[in-house]
Amino acid sequence: MRFVPVLISAALAASPAFSQPKPAPAAPTKPAVAAGPAPTAADWRTPNPADVLVIDTNKGRVVVEMTPETAPLYTARVRELAQAKFYDGLTFFRVIDGFMAQTGDPENRGTGQSDKPNVPGEFQFRRGPDTPFALLADQSVSELGFIKTMPVQTQSMALAPLTRDGKVSGYVNFCQGVAGAARGEDPDTANSQFYLMRDHYPALDRRYAAFGRVISGLDVVRAIKVGEPVADPQDRMLTVRILSDMPEKDRPKIRVIDPAGPWFKAEIARVKAAAPVGTNVSVCDVNIPVEVK
């Protein structure tokens, strides 16, 4: 089966804003704000190794924390293909500066896919009272925040008691580093191809499934050779592994600031204080510290 339309190639290609994305305007200069205290051991968390994707490329290592909370089916697909070593050696065949780097095609040109069945679109998710969520801003009818390292916006949890399942709807904000599922014009055609966001691109919100976020190596993603398509030689993924499948001696040691903890809440306050008066701070403006050793 040939997979012809891929990310934006059909559904969004008609829009000049997508076919020739323009760089975002420079952000206003923010006043200097004193750094807060260093986080303590209690402020960190260790990601589930079964949800960490380690992508070694010819440019360096990229680490993605996957979030089955936002796209369980596609997360399972990527995990399955990584465990089968499907992604090893595949290239970044379409890379747009200020936008994203796309890979996961066995034909390395955007027309191929795995032999697995397509994955239905997962453009929104359900958030329940037990979903780990760190609040950035309460906008009365909606809430901005994080599920693990994933930037999201959901309905207010005050609405949950009024719904059939006791949950509210949410979607991912396609900030820099977010990992998304490529698809064709049909919303249910995600398969093996995926992309890593080089920069914030909000027009993808609620139109594509997001299954994780780069927590280390965004500089590597931004260093990947640009082109549409990329001229030979294309940069490539050498190996793609699930952290839990790697030998213990080869596993990077990873810890991430817990967004639900007091240090991160204080960090949000500092970011808000640094913003120009009248400016709303978005989830893309807040950095979640990560240590990889």
Side-chain angles (χ1 to χ4, degrees), residues 124-172:
Q124 297 190 64
F125 62 89
R126 301 291 287 173
R127 172 191 163 205
D130 296 331
T131 304
F133 178 80
L135 181 69
L136 170 69
D138 186 345
Q139 300 179 327
S140 297
V141 297
S142 66
E143 296 176 347
L144 300 176
F146 299 90
I147 293 177
K148 297 177 180 174
T149 49
M150 188 69 95
V152 302
Q153 180 167 349
T154 76
Q155 294 174 306
S156 170
M157 279 304 294
L159 300 175
L162 305 178
T163 65
R164 186 183 299 272
D165 61 357
K167 300 179 180 180
V168 295
S169 293
Y171 63 90
V172 171

Side-chain angles (χ1 to χ4, degrees), residues 66-268:
M66 298 189 291
T67 51
E69 295 88 348
T70 61
L73 299 178
Y74 200 75
T75 299
R77 169 58 52 81
V78 171
R79 185 185 294 111
E80 177 185 24
L81 293 177
Q83 291 174 329
K85 302 183 179 179
F86 172 88
Y87 290 121
D88 292 6
L90 299 189
T91 70
F92 292 92
F93 58 86
R94 183 168 182 258
V95 182
I96 302 174
D97 194 24
F99 189 15
M100 58 86 214
Q102 187 171 342
T103 185
D105 173 14
E107 299 179 0
N108 293 325
R109 59 182 181 180
T111 56
Q113 62 181 21
S114 77
D115 60 2
K116 307 296 181 184
N118 288 339
V119 178
E122 299 175 287
F123 309 143
Q124 297 190 64
F125 62 89
R126 301 291 287 173
R127 172 191 163 205
D130 296 331
T131 304
F133 178 80
L135 181 69
L136 170 69
D138 186 345
Q139 300 179 327
S140 297
V141 297
S142 66
E143 296 176 347
L144 300 176
F146 299 90
I147 293 177
K148 297 177 180 174
T149 49
M150 188 69 95
V152 302
Q153 180 167 349
T154 76
Q155 294 174 306
S156 170
M157 279 304 294
L159 300 175
L162 305 178
T163 65
R164 186 183 299 272
D165 61 357
K167 300 179 180 180
V168 295
S169 293
Y171 63 90
V172 171
N173 293 131
F174 274 80
C175 303
Q176 61 278 8
V178 167
R183 65 169 178 83
E185 185 173 8
D186 185 326
D188 298 327
T189 51
N191 194 286
S192 62
Q193 294 188 36
F194 66 88
Y195 53 93
L196 305 174
M197 301 303 297
R198 291 165 68 106
D199 287 292
H200 182 203
Y201 218 89
L204 300 186
D205 296 359
R206 289 181 284 188
R207 303 183 75 168
Y208 290 85
F211 67 95
R213 191 177 189 185
V214 174
I215 58 174
S216 177
L218 184 58
D219 58 329
V220 175
V221 175
R222 288 174 171 160
I224 293 170
K225 186 178 178 182
V226 173
E228 192 181 4
V230 178
D232 291 331
Q234 297 177 346
D235 291 324
R236 65 181 59 243
M237 299 185 291
L238 305 177
T239 61
V240 180
R241 297 288 181 268
I242 302 299
L243 183 63
S244 58
D245 294 336
M246 297 175 66
E248 184 66 35
K249 65 181 180 62
D250 297 332
R251 292 186 189 182
K253 303 300 186 287
I254 304 170
R255 65 176 187 171
V256 184
I257 283 293
D258 183 358
W263 186 92
F264 190 71
K265 292 178 181 178
E267 180 66 12
I268 287 175

